[in-house]
Amino acid sequence: MTEASELRDRLTDSLYGLGWATVKKLPEPVAAGLGRRIADIAWKRRGKSVQRLESNLARVVPDATPERLAELSKAGMRSYMRYWMESFRLPTWSKERVDGGFDVKDVHYLKDGLASGRGVILALPHLANWDLAGVWVTRSLGVPFTTVAERLKPETLYDRFVAYRESLGMEVLPHSGGTAFGTLARRLRDGGLICLVADRDLSASGTEVTFFGETARMPAGPALLAQQTGALLLPVTLWYDDSPVMKGRVHPPVDVPETGTRAEKTSVMTQALADVFATGIADHPEDWHMLQRLWLKDLEERRP
């Protein structure tokens, strides 16, 4: 690692540390206003992340004019910063604040699945604030769960995220290392709950799906775990509206097909997840925090 990259890593870690230490002490309206100002500044600068967000949104809203895409990306950056401002403050939220901060529909699918003892997999896209949804599960439902986190650079920043999520009642496994799948399967066989953000593949072994009319690759893990353990696979979508309360929906289970090879079953189930995700994203495109390349065409263009 070069001296410049070490300096950049230390700066990144320090900025996140400052956010956690400072933002959680601010009054909530002040923190919300600060988030909007930061989002607007980032949007006006039109860096690579903003441009990528607009490119992704152009697939979601194919008939949008350039002006409409600009409006969506501005709202998207505000939604993204709302996620961060809330997340920095979540450790200070009381159970009552968590209860009042999330309104979820059809949660009976989750409760019935847990009561059955077969284990439950919640699969979500990068919509709104999945950390808040997780805190609601651990505090309002009183149900612990296991999740997987991408290893971040620098390592100290990854450690911050793990400690932060563990303080909220989550068991966090590293995405790399090859042991996460076995641990997740054991949790499910014990009747437990796991939650996976599943609209972007972080490996070379994802499953190809049709997503907004083009080919993308999404994680095979949720479908494979459901097949291997008999756990219930439930898609979840989240969104913001004009209120301080995040909204969500637990969708009907994705069933394991009765026939076909494991790969064929995985393909069918992952496509079913992608279709539910697409519906939620199309309804609330400004809340989809996808600031990276997703579709295979874009990933191939990045190669030489």
Side-chain angles (χ1 to χ4, degrees), residues 9-304:
D9 285 350
R10 288 199 299 271
L11 178 60
T12 301
D13 182 54
S14 298
L15 288 173
Y16 277 99
L18 181 63
W20 264 301
T22 304
V23 172
K24 66 182 180 182
K25 297 177 181 178
L26 296 175
E28 198 156 325
V30 175
L34 175 62
R36 287 192 295 272
R37 286 194 294 274
I38 294 173
D40 290 349
I41 291 170
W43 179 77
K44 287 178 181 177
R45 289 180 175 175
R46 294 197 57 77
K48 289 183 179 180
S49 294
V50 174
Q51 294 178 45
R52 176 53 51 191
L53 177 62
E54 283 191 9
S55 175
N56 291 338
L57 289 172
R59 259 88 167 217
V60 176
V61 192
D63 58 347
T65 63
E67 293 77 15
R68 174 59 176 152
L69 279 178
E71 291 174 358
L72 281 174
S73 67
K74 184 175 184 178
M77 292 304 295
R78 286 189 170 191
S79 175
Y80 185 51
M81 287 310 303
R82 176 174 171 177
Y83 161 80
W84 280 112
M85 291 296 130
E86 287 179 347
S87 295
F88 285 145
R89 296 174 55 80
L90 275 178
T92 68
W93 281 21
S94 65
K95 182 180 181 300
E96 291 71 26
R97 178 66 182 89
V98 173
D99 288 342
F102 184 38
D103 178 22
V104 58
K105 303 178 186 300
D106 297 328
V107 73
H108 64 89
Y109 288 118
L110 171 58
K111 293 180 177 179
D112 292 347
L114 291 171
S116 73
R118 63 186 288 194
V120 176
I121 306 159
L122 296 181
L124 308 87
H126 285 81
L127 274 170
N129 192 338
W130 47 96
D131 281 337
L132 172 54
V135 174
W136 184 86
V137 168
T138 60
R139 293 188 182 173
S140 297
L141 293 186
V143 178
F145 67 86
T146 304
T147 188
V148 175
E150 179 183 3
R151 278 204 175 275
L152 303 172
K153 296 293 183 181
E155 192 74 17
T156 51
L157 180 58
Y158 171 77
D159 292 340
R160 281 186 190 274
F161 272 95
V162 170
Y164 154 70
R165 290 190 166 117
E166 287 180 342
S167 74
L168 301 175
M170 312 174 193
E171 179 187 24
V172 183
L173 307 176
H175 181 270
S176 59
T179 61
F181 188 91
T183 303
L184 294 172
R186 286 194 296 274
R187 299 292 182 268
L188 291 171
R189 290 193 184 99
D190 291 337
L193 173 67
I194 69 169
C195 301
L196 301 171
V197 181
D199 58 342
R200 178 170 171 256
D201 181 52
L202 295 175
S203 70
S205 58
T207 297
E208 290 190 2
V209 296
T210 301
F211 196 54
F212 291 102
E214 294 189 40
T215 303
R217 189 180 292 121
M218 293 189 179
L224 288 171
L225 285 164
Q227 293 175 60
Q228 186 165 317
T229 67
L232 199 66
L233 175 55
L234 299 175
V236 178
T237 53
L238 308 170
W239 66 93
Y240 291 127
D241 56 19
D242 294 331
S243 76
V245 181
M246 185 177 73
K247 305 301 192 295
R249 181 182 299 278
V250 181
H251 295 264
V254 173
D255 295 325
V256 178
E258 294 183 0
T259 61
T261 64
R262 185 172 72 166
E264 290 169 343
K265 293 178 180 179
T266 300
S267 178
V268 170
M269 296 173 72
T270 307
Q271 183 64 60
L273 282 179
D275 292 342
V276 176
F277 292 169
T279 299
I281 293 166
D283 288 342
H284 304 278
E286 67 280 3
D287 292 325
W288 190 39
H289 306 155
M290 186 55 65
L291 280 68
Q292 301 86 15
R293 296 173 189 263
L294 176 70
W295 281 272
L296 295 192
K297 181 179 179 181
D298 293 338
L299 293 169
E300 290 166 357
E301 288 176 355
R302 186 172 59 180
R303 298 186 183 117

